[in-house]
Amino acid sequence: MPGATTGRASYKQPYPGHHDHDRVCPRCAGPLIHVGSAFAAPRRRDTAAWRTLSVLLNAGVRFHKSCCCDPGYRPRTLSEVRERMAYARATGEPFARALVRHELP
């Protein structure tokens, strides 16, 4: 996926190997972000979902799965992101960790 501010596109590519170089977007030549094999891109016109995804990626949240389970909870709406941001501010929990919490206490 190109940088969060450049566009809404997703490209499936083989997992980067040890000797692979940085990958670039075939449309704009900007850097691609490896988000993980469990990633499912939002529809191109779903701007709210792309904004939510941008927050997650900028916080370092990725979509990797292990051999026996999916990547876990990821917020799907901006309101879920805002709730977790408020929780992180109130508790001091790191923002990336608060984003992937399935439920807030």
Side-chain angles (χ1 to χ4, degrees):
M1 185 183 126
T5 60
T6 60
R8 295 178 231 150
S10 155
Y11 303 98
K12 291 193 184 255
Q13 296 184 350
Y15 188 78
H18 179 66
H19 298 290
D20 283 345
H21 299 283
D22 292 335
R23 300 190 183 213
V24 295
C25 175
R27 291 193 312 177
C28 71
L32 292 174
I33 301 169
H34 179 72
V35 297
S37 61
F39 175 70
R43 295 189 183 275
R44 188 178 305 260
R45 295 176 191 252
D46 189 348
T47 56
W50 282 98
R51 278 190 217 119
T52 301
L53 179 60
S54 176
V55 171
L56 294 173
L57 296 178
N58 284 318
V61 175
R62 299 296 185 257
F63 297 82
H64 298 286
K65 60 183 175 182
S66 69
C67 63
C68 60
C69 57
D70 63 16
Y73 172 80
R74 301 294 186 263
R76 292 184 167 263
T77 65
L78 290 171
S79 65
E80 290 175 336
V81 168
R82 283 191 290 273
E83 287 174 343
R84 281 151 182 78
M85 286 174 73
Y87 175 80
R89 279 193 299 272
T91 64
E93 182 170 35
F95 184 50
R97 190 177 309 151
L99 281 171
V100 298
R101 267 185 179 279
H102 186 66
E103 294 182 20
L104 298 178

